[in-house]
Amino acid sequence: MAIENQTKPNQTGATNKSFLHLGIRNKLVLLLLAFGLVPALAMFTMFEIEKSALQDDLNAQAEASAAQVNKTIDRNLFERYGDVQAFGLNKAAHDQENWRNLSPGNPLVQAMNGYTTGYGIYKLMLLLDIDGNVVSTNTVDAAGKAIATQTLLGKNYKNAPWFSKAANGQFLKGRNGLTGTAVDQPTKNKVVAQLYGGDGYVIPFSAPVKDGTGNTIAIWVNFADFGLVEEIIDSFYQRFATDGSPSAEITLLDPAGRIIVDYDPKTQGFTEFAGYKRNPNIIGKFNLAEKGVVAAQLSVKGQNGGLISTHARKEIDQVSGYHHSQGAYDYPGLNWSALVRVPVDEAYATVNRLNMKMIIVLSAAVVVTSILGTLIGMSFAKPIIGLTGVMQALAQGEKNVEIPNAARSDEIGDMARTVEVFKQNALEIDRMETEKTEQEKRAEAEKKASMSQLADDFEA
């Protein structure tokens, strides 16, 4: 172990030496990159840290949208909850002389037809005696067009769930004591289907009709067109599409998790509500909770939230907001769950665009800083390199070289003027050496001349 520690290289020292060995230009480029990019990298890092929080906010928005879908539906159904009780208070329904008579002049028939055309959402209204026999019905649709309901007189519905619930007082019970109406889950009604065509998908609202002493004398039932719920969902989808989420889909589940509304225009190929068609293989049959859709499983359990989940049929990841109905006002709701699902790329489009912009800006900063660093490095390094060359020339004995940048007022100019001093000192030394050499030559010549004169004198 001791040998290994001794032979292990010092990476930090090697890095420092490598940096020190770089030229001034390269050092300036690296330093500018460091000072320029460190703040940008810090901002990008903070964004990456906050991105998950932004995504959580978008998940929460999806949940809020699902909650709003439920609340809007429940507010509408709250009104339908009270309609059937209000209709049963009509004195024409209490007068049994009006029963079993569908003539146009019958006050009860006129009242039922008026409710049908006035509200525009009820496909069929029935008044039944306490034994379950139909004693009156509407004879026109919402547009005032005659419908063939005469054959319904005398038909018995004693075993129908909506009749038995109303007759036995099995009402929905809301806050503050709201009660008195039985509401069934959406169902396909054969009579409605025969009268209007289609699948006859309706929501039955039934309530007892009581006389002045409080005794139940009849049962009134309204079959509300389920299209009123689907139209509400369509209005929400149009908002999502306008806000940049055309691939959004809104799903409504019954208490068990079965789909009762599958509103997915982009996949199903329609753009307007008129193009929506209920898929008989899906509606009331396809159970998302049993298919393992987490959002459906949680919402059916009464939970609310938002998460990323995989679509059971599309097999794509979606941001799923889910909300379990809690009713509206005093209406308790039918324990439905709303799912608002948007593909991840579409839901996080804003965050992804911001992320891409951050990457582009950071990349541009690297390029611009590198170019500027190189130019700045060159502008600083060029005069220094020039002075270095002059000093090397002076060191090699070339004393007549021109000293550049001596007129500059910065540190480069100070260096140039210092080099000029070195040059002048070198020239002075050369002058002094030349003068000394000349003096020595003159002395030697004078010596030789003196000796020659002495020799001449001696010889004479």
Side-chain angles (χ1 to χ4, degrees):
M1 291 299 292
I3 294 176
E4 290 179 1
N5 289 336
Q6 290 175 1
T7 58
K8 187 175 182 179
N10 187 336
Q11 298 293 338
T12 303
T15 302
N16 291 337
K17 288 181 180 179
S18 299
F19 180 77
L20 292 174
H21 289 164
L22 292 174
I24 291 177
R25 181 178 65 184
N26 293 332
K27 287 179 181 177
L28 285 172
V29 172
L30 291 176
L31 287 173
L32 286 171
L33 278 172
F35 285 111
L37 296 182
V38 165
L41 285 172
M43 290 180 62
F44 184 74
T45 301
M46 288 298 297
F47 171 76
E48 288 296 320
I49 294 173
E50 292 296 324
K51 186 165 69 172
S52 60
L54 292 173
Q55 292 173 341
D56 289 341
D57 289 342
L58 292 171
N59 293 350
Q61 290 179 20
E63 175 197 350
S65 296
Q68 193 60 39
V69 169
N70 264 338
K71 289 179 180 178
T72 303
I73 292 172
D74 285 337
R75 287 170 184 167
N76 194 288
L77 296 185
F78 166 73
E79 297 177 4
R80 309 290 76 79
Y81 187 95
D83 287 348
V84 66
Q85 294 186 45
F87 296 171
L89 294 176
N90 193 307
K91 295 300 182 181
H94 295 204
D95 187 354
Q96 297 189 18
E97 294 292 328
N98 297 325
W99 292 9
R100 300 179 180 84
N101 176 11
L102 296 184
S103 63
N106 186 331
L108 178 56
V109 174
Q110 291 178 345
M112 299 180 87
N113 286 342
Y115 296 145
T116 302
T117 56
Y119 284 80
I121 56 174
Y122 295 116
K123 292 290 188 178
L124 180 65
M125 296 181 188
L126 298 178
L127 183 68
L128 307 98
D129 62 22
I130 57 176
D131 294 322
N133 300 307
V134 176
V135 295
S136 190
T137 179
N138 59 306
T139 59
V140 299
D141 61 13
K145 183 180 178 181
I147 53 176
T149 55
Q150 292 82 359
T151 57
L152 296 177
L153 284 181
K155 193 169 183 178
N156 188 279
Y157 288 98
K158 187 175 183 178
N159 295 325
W162 48 264
F163 180 87
S164 60
K165 287 181 180 179
N168 296 319
Q170 297 175 2
F171 310 128
L172 286 185
K173 297 179 181 179
R175 295 179 291 271
N176 302 317
L178 178 69
T179 188
T181 298
V183 186
D184 273 10
Q185 294 293 330
T187 183
K188 294 178 181 179
N189 186 283
K190 293 182 179 180
V191 174
V192 174
Q194 291 171 357
L195 291 172
Y196 293 91
D199 56 9
Y201 209 45
V202 292
I203 305 175
F205 293 82
S206 55
V209 177
K210 297 184 178 181
D211 60 16
T213 60
N215 294 319
T216 298
I217 60 173
I219 300 295
W220 188 305
V221 59
N222 292 333
F223 294 95
D225 183 5
F226 191 73
L228 69 93
V229 173
E230 295 163 334
E231 286 185 12
I232 292 172
I233 290 179
D234 171 73
S235 67
F236 276 94
Y237 170 79
Q238 298 303 331
R239 296 182 202 173
F240 298 147
T242 302
D243 292 340
S245 297
S247 299
E249 58 179 292
I250 307 174
T251 309
L252 200 62
L253 308 178
D254 70 8
R258 291 182 294 266
I259 294 176
I260 52 178
V261 177
D262 182 29
Y263 208 84
D264 185 8
K266 193 160 187 180
T267 301
Q268 297 169 1
F270 67 93
T271 56
E272 298 179 355
F273 176 65
Y276 173 69
K277 296 292 186 295
R278 303 184 192 105
N279 186 338
N281 297 321
I282 298 295
I283 302 301
K285 296 179 180 179
F286 198 88
N287 192 308
L288 289 187
E290 292 179 355
K291 293 296 181 181
V293 178
V294 178
Q297 293 173 335
L298 294 175
S299 60
V300 167
K301 292 178 181 178
Q303 300 182 29
N304 310 317
L307 47 76
I308 296 177
S309 62
T310 301
H311 195 284
R313 288 168 288 159
K314 298 179 182 178
E315 297 183 353
I316 61 172
D317 288 337
Q318 297 174 310
V319 173
S320 300
Y322 55 94
H323 187 272
H324 189 80
S325 170
Q326 298 173 347
Y329 309 121
D330 294 338
Y331 174 69
L334 291 172
N335 290 318
W336 292 347
S337 297
L339 306 183
V340 173
R341 295 180 288 177
V342 184
V344 168
D345 292 343
E346 203 167 274
Y348 295 158
T350 302
V351 176
N352 293 338
R353 280 197 300 269
L354 183 58
N355 188 66
M356 182 56 65
K357 288 179 180 178
M358 292 282 287
I359 293 174
I360 292 172
V361 170
L362 187 60
S363 301
V366 171
V367 174
V368 172
T369 305
S370 299
I371 294 173
L372 290 177
T374 301
L375 294 175
I376 294 172
M378 289 178 64
S379 67
F380 278 97
K382 186 176 180 180
I384 295 175
I385 293 172
L387 288 173
T388 302
V390 170
M391 293 175 70
Q392 289 175 343
L394 288 173
Q396 293 172 1
E398 298 179 18
K399 301 177 179 66
N400 294 322
V401 292
E402 185 71 24
I403 307 300
N405 302 309
R408 291 177 60 151
S409 59
D410 56 10
E411 289 79 359
I412 300 295
D414 293 339
M415 292 175 63
R417 288 187 287 274
T418 301
V419 174
E420 179 66 32
V421 172
F422 292 156
K423 173 186 174 181
Q424 295 302 324
N425 288 341
L427 291 174
E428 181 63 22
I429 291 172
D430 285 351
R431 187 188 64 76
M432 292 174 64
E433 288 181 351
T434 301
E435 186 177 339
K436 180 181 178 182
T437 300
E438 291 296 327
Q439 288 177 353
E440 289 176 349
K441 286 181 179 180
R442 285 195 300 270
E444 184 65 25
E446 289 175 357
K447 180 179 178 182
K448 287 182 178 181
S450 177
M451 291 297 292
S452 177
Q453 183 64 42
L454 182 63
D456 290 342
D457 290 343
F458 180 75
E459 184 175 353

